Amino acid sequence: MAHIQTPDALSPAGYVDFSRRRTFGSVMRKTGALARRNKLGAFGVVLVIIVLAMAIMAPLIQRYDDNESFQTANPKFNPTANPLDIANDPGLGSPYILDRWESPLSSKHWLGTDQLGRDIYARIVVGARLAVIIGVGASLIAVVLGTVVGLFSGYFGGKLDLFLQRFVDGIQAFPGLVLLLLIVSVMDQPSLALTVIALGVLGFATSVRIVRSSVLAVSQATYIEAARSYGATSLRIMLQHVLPNILSAILIVFSISIGAYILAEASLSFLGLGPADKTTWGKMVNAGRVSLDLHPWESVLSGAAITIAVLGFNLAGDAIRDELDPRLRGR
Amino acid sequence: MASENYWLRRTRTGRVTRRRFVGGAAVAGVGVAGLGLVGCGDDDDSVEPTTAPDGTTPGTTPGATTAASPSAVAAVDGGVLVRTLGATQFDSVDLHRAQRDEVGWLTGYTLNKIVRFSNPDAGDLEADLAEKWETPDAQTYTFSLRKDVKWQNTPITNGRQFTSADIKWHVERQAAGLLLDGTAASFRFKSDWVGVKVETPDDYTVKLTLPKPNGAFMSRLAAFFAGVPNREATEKFEGSHNTLTPDAQPATSAFKIQQWTTGKDIVLAKNPEHFRKGEPHVDGIIYPWGLFQDPNAYRLAFEQKQVDGWSSPDASVTKSVVEANKGMMTESLSGVSNTVLLHLNMNKQFKDVRLVRAVNMAYDRRAQIEAIHQGLGQVSGPVTWLQEGWATKPDDLIKHEGYRVDRALEMKEARALWEAGGGPALGDVDIKVEASFAALWPDMYAFVPKMLNDALGVSQFKSSRTTYNEEIIPNLLKGEYPNWVAWTNAVDNPDPRVDIYGKFNSAGTQNWSKVNNAELDKLLNDALLTADTEEAKAKMLQAQDILLKNGQFGACNLYNYISRGARWNYLHATTKDEVTGGKSTGGFWNTAAGNLEAKYTWINPKDPSYSDVVKNRKLP
């Protein structure tokens, strides 16, 4: 008997059969094949795994508290030293001297220390957690919002579509970073939650566009017509027939956006508008640039961490797109 | 250079005294680092160390400089300075109502005082608007005014003569504390003038009769906010005093405000109507807005000679840049007169003084000096070390809560007080960091709560952003201000009596914590009443003891730090020896920085560091 496709399987984006049973061996074989076919994508996935591993295991691998200042007792300390003497010898005024700007590659501080004598490795590891939370969180918000708006806009069309798309046009008309700066700067306090929300809300416009175009394509499919003829409600059709068939597009948007949000957060933190009390890579780049010519490590290493994470998520996102939606390749 | 030999010699022979250093510090401090509430310029006025004649840089010894000796090189007129605004939160064009030091700083360039400090280090006075004065008794002061003082010629003033009526209005308006429509307003120095009787027998004579003796009265006339503003302009802009406009502050002094644009710059131009001919030497000064808040842009601007002086929040960077430009730049080390302060609100969360004492002890002053100033600073009690002679002696200070060397003991007692005072029940405690302070040291947001949480063994403290203009100043009078840490007002006088009275006497106009302590009141009153300086100092020491035992009632002075700055050598900065004739003894230059700059600062076109970039500057 010929295989009878269900309406769901008629997805124009390619049939994804989630019901197929997979063994560990088959998954590994397929993964290996994918890696051989898309070496760059595999490299990106490796980078993402490294970043995710750092983020998840941060408390286990960070070695030190990211805000712990290392210091050495100062035998010269004189609590009543007059300021003139302190100006001549700043060591007189403090019971200890911070181990600031130590070079990398020591056993105690693998990546050196910053201006406050804090371990750069520990801060990069903790920064990874923040980067992942912000990247994934913002991307999630953008995709969820974008999916809801895109679904309604694409499915119902008409005036609702017109209104929603002009609204999206309005958001996209503003330079993203400028709008982001505006939102964050008018808030009283840049917090982690605020940063994630601001990035997600601003990023949803892109998601809306992609989701809407996918919905438009799916909406013309025969199985949607069939569902309508059965008397299914619009909500049911959207949730049970349209949404499952645009999941690949949503997944692509989600994965590709993460890197962009990490970069956007780094930009905000670099400008002093990121989460004020958290250790972030952007803040580290900014802190280190004051003395970049003397002590380049903090900026260079945190900058490298941003590069690795963004590159990884971008390459991995591209690979996911290539696998799930070959038609989007090259876009 | 001869001057280098001179300064270096002084350093090597140990003739650079502590007070000499401190003096430079005050001006420079305010200026360069930006620092703080004062919007002063670069730290070029500071005592400068150490670029030796042979081009080496023998360390950070304050007191040596490459600046040309005043006697060796004649001042050259002309040119435009580009300096750095140390702070930009100008809250009012009305000098009487302004709370922010920026406003007082700016008027140091444009307005004259009845008398001014000839040697701000020591508090020596000289005539300014007054040619001479008499004090027949402890309550009566008669001033004979100059007859050649004219207001800047604007459509509001028409360049009219300055007369005794201007001073009468200046005194009576502040004493009344009322606006034209009769409504009461916050006049920062009202307490200086309440009860003072003003008589003007003629246009050039003013007789002031005090309600009671005030040993600090004359120094108040020369202090930071003592400039006499123009009546017509002040009244015209009374309803819009928060809006910056040059028209609101016509000048009498060496500079006039040509441009005053939020977010852009302040441009000061030579005032042709100024009575001291020959001042200023330069045609004008441009202060770009907010440059110090971006340390990298600031550094770049300095290296390209777009500004004449600079200081990095990382002192080692300043040092390296000066070393890389031997013979072209001069380094300075200068104490910053804006004390770093932790202010806990005793009207709200910290009503129990035990909680204030606990946090005051938990706050590791020396750790912060080491962390963000690289050790360049010293702890300050209620009276700062800039006011040597009045401040609690260092040997005594380190026996008091919050200043002891034994951190374990401090933390133990702090925790006990925190518990006893019900600290854990407070929930989250937000110690806000003022935005301009955080711009230089963004790590403060993490540093402060971690320090307090670790010391008190809690996780209640957090930190967020605040600003003077948006949240602090508007809420001071109402007692609704946040807990915050940042700079406080500049030390504006060698004599701290009036400032301390204002902050901690129950009748003080800046008593935001609503301190009401009879013993403290009496000591502060007595200190002010006496003309005997030694007696006053003894009273002030006793008063400080009370403050130190009570966590300074929430207004906890932490420390004053030392800023390492740099300037190009073409800028002939004001040097202390010029001002003091080599008799420098203290440090409050910021009180008179504007008029000192007019007198002593000039651009040397023959210096090797001079370039077309400097030459081609024009006033807008």
Side-chain angles (χ1 to χ4, degrees), chain A residues 50-104:
Chain A
I50 291 172
V51 172
L52 289 176
M54 280 171 67
I56 294 165
M57 297 194 294
L60 300 176
I61 63 172
Q62 69 186 72
R63 301 184 80 208
Y64 308 115
D65 185 301
D66 56 314
N67 282 315
E68 180 181 357
S69 290
F70 288 85
Q71 57 199 37
T72 304
N74 176 23
K76 290 196 300 183
F77 172 52
N78 174 5
T80 59
N82 72 48
L84 175 62
D85 292 336
I86 290 173
N88 283 313
D89 181 359
L92 289 175
S94 180
Y96 52 80
I97 304 293
L98 291 182
D99 301 337
R100 57 169 55 90
W101 297 132
E102 290 203 356
S103 297

Side-chain angles (χ1 to χ4, degrees), chain A residues 67 77 79-84 86-88 90 94 96-98 100-101 115-116 118 189 276 289-291 293-294, chain B residues 16-18 21 60-62 294 296 299 314 317 320 367 370-371 374-375 377-378 385 395 443 445 450 464-465:
Chain A
N67 282 315
F77 172 52
T80 59
N82 72 48
L84 175 62
I86 290 173
N88 283 313
S94 180
Y96 52 80
I97 304 293
L98 291 182
R100 57 169 55 90
W101 297 132
Q115 189 185 355
L116 295 188
R118 297 173 299 196
Q189 178 65 36
R289 78 189 175 117
V290 172
S291 57
D293 46 352
L294 299 178
Chain B
V16 180
T17 65
R18 174 186 183 278
F21 157 72
T60 58
T61 311
D294 184 341
N296 295 288
R299 172 181 171 177
D314 181 339
V317 176
S320 78
E370 170 63 16
Q374 301 188 3
Q378 180 58 293
W385 53 258
D395 288 347
D443 286 316
Y445 288 123
K450 177 173 170 51
S464 59
R465 172 186 176 277

Side-chain angles (χ1 to χ4, degrees), chain A residues 51 124 281 285 297-311:
Chain A
V51 172
I124 285 180
W281 291 340
V285 173
W297 299 113
E298 186 178 18
S299 285
V300 168
L301 293 170
S302 51
I306 295 170
T307 304
I308 288 169
V310 173
L311 183 67

Side-chain angles (χ1 to χ4, degrees), chain B residues 48-111:
Chain B
E48 296 156 332
T50 10
T51 301
D54 60 0
T56 61
T57 304
T60 58
T61 311
T65 181
T66 54
S69 165
S71 57
V73 184
V76 175
D77 286 351
V80 175
L81 297 171
V82 184
R83 314 296 291 278
T84 309
L85 272 179
T88 53
Q89 295 186 51
F90 294 87
D91 62 324
S92 176
V93 294
D94 183 342
L95 181 60
H96 293 159
R97 294 155 71 192
Q99 296 288 335
R100 295 278 306 172
D101 283 352
E102 288 95 317
V103 184
W105 159 79
L106 184 59
T107 58
Y109 290 82
T110 59
L111 299 178

Side-chain angles (χ1 to χ4, degrees), chain B residues 73 78 88 124 132 263-264 295 375 390 417 483 547 604:
Chain B
V73 184
T88 53
D124 297 343
K132 57 184 180 179
K264 185 167 185 269
W390 295 90
L417 281 173
N483 307 309
L547 294 172
N604 183 358

Side-chain angles (χ1 to χ4, degrees), chain B residues 65 73 85 118 139 165 178 240 307 349 353 381 386 395 416 449 487 563 620:
Chain B
T65 181
V73 184
L85 272 179
S118 60
Q139 291 174 251
L178 300 173
S240 58
V307 291
Q349 219 168 5
V353 77
L386 295 164
D395 288 347
W487 299 284
S563 172

Side-chain angles (χ1 to χ4, degrees), chain B residues 175 190 193-197 209-212:
Chain B
K190 179 178 177 177
W193 301 108
V194 171
V196 175
K197 182 181 172 190
T209 307
L210 310 189
K212 58 187 178 183

